[in-house]
């Protein structure tokens, strides 16, 4: 855990997202010690049984236990109630109740979730109704990887319907450390690097942008990632490989953060 947070600081981060579940308490202790701000999250993820009372009780219990455990941590600045939950009325009620609960438990932190987005042409709209109850307009987007072409990213613009600080809670692309090609070659470090370069150009034009947590710092095991050559049951979106090798995109983002630090100091 100390190694991960040390890498985050080397990258130039002052803030990390602990997704998508409650992490070991030691991680928060280290964040306090090392001076990192933290987004804390519970595992309300994708599609679950929105109308099942037991499912809601489970989610509320995990949220309550986490807030009670970590509410006195100086590092914690955001309570997140979930990630990428598809918009429907039952979901809105479920998630809205979690917002009310966390505010009842602690009204001193920001409340967030990774909201849904909509795309049409080169316009990306953020109007997920859950955003009305949250403190941040925070959302995941994987331009250049799951949608669009990496070289098209600077053409996109955002229409964010909330007058709130914007946090990009996920963006990124996969690359196998040590695999090289031109910037059109999927899974190469050069392709991941190009996506980061063009993502950052696109995001710099966004009004209200106040932070980002690229997905993800380090490659991690995932049974859903089954490509036998490039994944082999690893999620390869890390800026650092599972063996600690920094990919080219790591240095692209590090340089971007250095420029931002100079700009605001």
């Amino acid at each position: 855990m100390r190694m991960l947070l040390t890498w985050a600081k080397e990258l130039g981060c002052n803030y990390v997202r602990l997704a998508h579940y409650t992490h070991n308490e030691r991680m928060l202790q280290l964040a306090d010690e090392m001076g990192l701000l933290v987004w804390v999250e519970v595992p309300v993820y994708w599609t679950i049984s929105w109308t099942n009372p037991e499912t809601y009780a489970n989610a509320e219990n995990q949220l309550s236990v986490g807030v009670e455990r970590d509410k006195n941590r100086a590092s914690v600045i955001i309570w997140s109630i979930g990630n990428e939950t598809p918009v429907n009325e039952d979901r809105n009620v479920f998630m809205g109740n979690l917002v009310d609960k966390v505010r009842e438990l602690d009204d001193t932190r920001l409340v967030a979730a990774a909201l849904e987005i909509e795309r049409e042409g080169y316009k990306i709209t953020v109007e997920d109704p859950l955003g009305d109850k949250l403190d941040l307009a925070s959302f995941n987007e994987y331009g250049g990887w799951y949608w669009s072409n990496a070289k098209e990213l600077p053409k996109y613009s955002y229409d964010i319907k909330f007058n709130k600080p914007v946090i990009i809670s996920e963006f990124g692309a996969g690359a196998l450390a040590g695999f090289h090609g031109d910037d059109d070659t999927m899974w190469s470090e050069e392709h991941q690097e190009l996506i980061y370069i063009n993502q950052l150009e696109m995001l710099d034009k966004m009004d209200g942008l106040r932070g980002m947590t690229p997905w993800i710092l380090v490659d991690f095991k995932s049974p859903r990632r089954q490509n036998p050559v490039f994944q082999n049951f690893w999620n390869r979106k890390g800026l650092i490989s599972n063996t600690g090798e920094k990919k080219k995109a790591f240095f692209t983002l590090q340089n971007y953060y250095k420029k931002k630090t100079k700009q605001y100091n």
Side-chain angles (χ1 to χ4, degrees):
M1 285 181 275
R2 184 180 292 277
M3 177 182 70
L4 291 170
L5 295 183
T6 298
W7 275 334
K9 294 203 74 168
E10 181 184 350
L11 181 60
C13 302
N14 64 356
Y15 150 71
V16 296
R17 179 187 180 201
L18 301 185
H20 299 295
Y21 54 88
T22 302
H23 285 231
N24 188 292
E25 186 176 16
R26 181 63 178 148
M27 187 72 86
L28 278 300
Q29 293 170 346
L30 287 167
D32 278 357
E33 174 190 323
M34 298 170 70
L36 285 164
L37 306 175
V38 176
W39 161 314
V40 172
E41 188 166 294
V42 291
V44 179
Y45 195 158
W46 293 351
T47 299
I48 58 177
S49 301
W50 303 117
T51 58
N52 184 337
E54 292 183 1
T55 302
Y56 178 78
N58 185 334
E60 185 180 282
N61 179 65
Q62 291 192 58
L63 182 64
S64 300
V65 168
V67 172
E68 182 63 29
R69 191 193 74 176
D70 296 326
K71 65 184 180 182
N72 293 319
R73 293 278 166 215
S75 55
V76 176
I77 60 166
I78 298 168
W79 301 120
S80 172
I81 59 167
N83 178 73
E84 292 180 353
T85 53
V87 178
N88 63 65
E89 187 55 36
D90 291 332
R91 168 269 201 174
N92 294 343
V93 171
F94 186 109
M95 300 295 277
N97 288 339
L98 288 181
V99 174
D100 294 339
K101 182 63 178 180
V102 74
R103 293 198 195 283
E104 173 190 319
L105 295 168
D106 177 16
D107 63 0
T108 68
R109 265 69 167 220
L110 300 170
V111 180
L115 299 173
E116 294 290 272
I117 64 173
E118 300 172 13
R119 289 180 288 109
E120 184 174 352
Y122 289 113
K123 182 179 178 182
I124 302 169
T125 304
V126 184
E127 57 183 354
D128 184 335
L130 179 60
D132 289 327
K133 297 200 70 165
L134 301 175
D135 296 311
L136 302 173
S138 44
F139 54 91
N140 302 347
E141 59 88 1
Y142 283 98
W145 186 248
Y146 290 131
W147 53 267
S148 186
N149 180 289
K151 294 176 180 177
E152 295 273 289
L153 289 178
K155 298 180 181 180
Y156 282 84
S157 63
Y158 283 80
D159 181 13
I160 300 172
K161 302 297 187 181
F162 307 103
N163 185 24
K164 300 177 180 184
V166 176
I167 300 289
I168 308 302
S169 40
E170 291 181 34
F171 73 89
L176 179 63
F179 176 62
H180 296 282
D182 61 30
D183 59 21
D184 288 321
T185 303
M186 287 280 290
W187 301 107
S188 70
E189 289 192 33
E190 288 72 16
H191 186 63
Q192 184 188 43
E193 180 185 38
L194 176 67
I195 289 175
Y196 267 82
I197 290 170
N198 287 351
Q199 272 275 357
L200 295 171
E201 180 180 341
M202 176 181 70
L203 296 178
D204 266 342
K205 297 182 292 185
M206 183 184 295
D207 291 336
L209 182 64
R210 293 296 177 266
M212 61 181 72
T213 45
W215 188 269
I216 190 169
L217 182 64
V218 183
D219 290 352
F220 63 96
K221 277 286 190 180
S222 174
R224 294 172 57 86
R225 310 299 172 176
Q226 299 178 10
N227 184 296
V229 177
F230 299 111
Q231 293 174 311
N232 194 26
F233 303 102
W234 289 87
N235 188 311
R236 297 297 187 188
K237 293 189 184 70
L239 294 164
I240 303 173
S241 76
N242 54 291
T243 58
E245 182 179 352
K246 296 179 177 70
K247 305 175 191 178
K248 296 184 76 172
F250 178 95
F251 301 102
T252 297
L253 187 59
Q254 185 184 58
N255 288 333
Y256 176 82
Y257 286 157
K258 284 179 180 177
K259 290 178 183 177
K260 288 297 180 185
T261 301
K262 289 180 181 178
Q263 179 181 340
Y264 292 111
N265 283 345

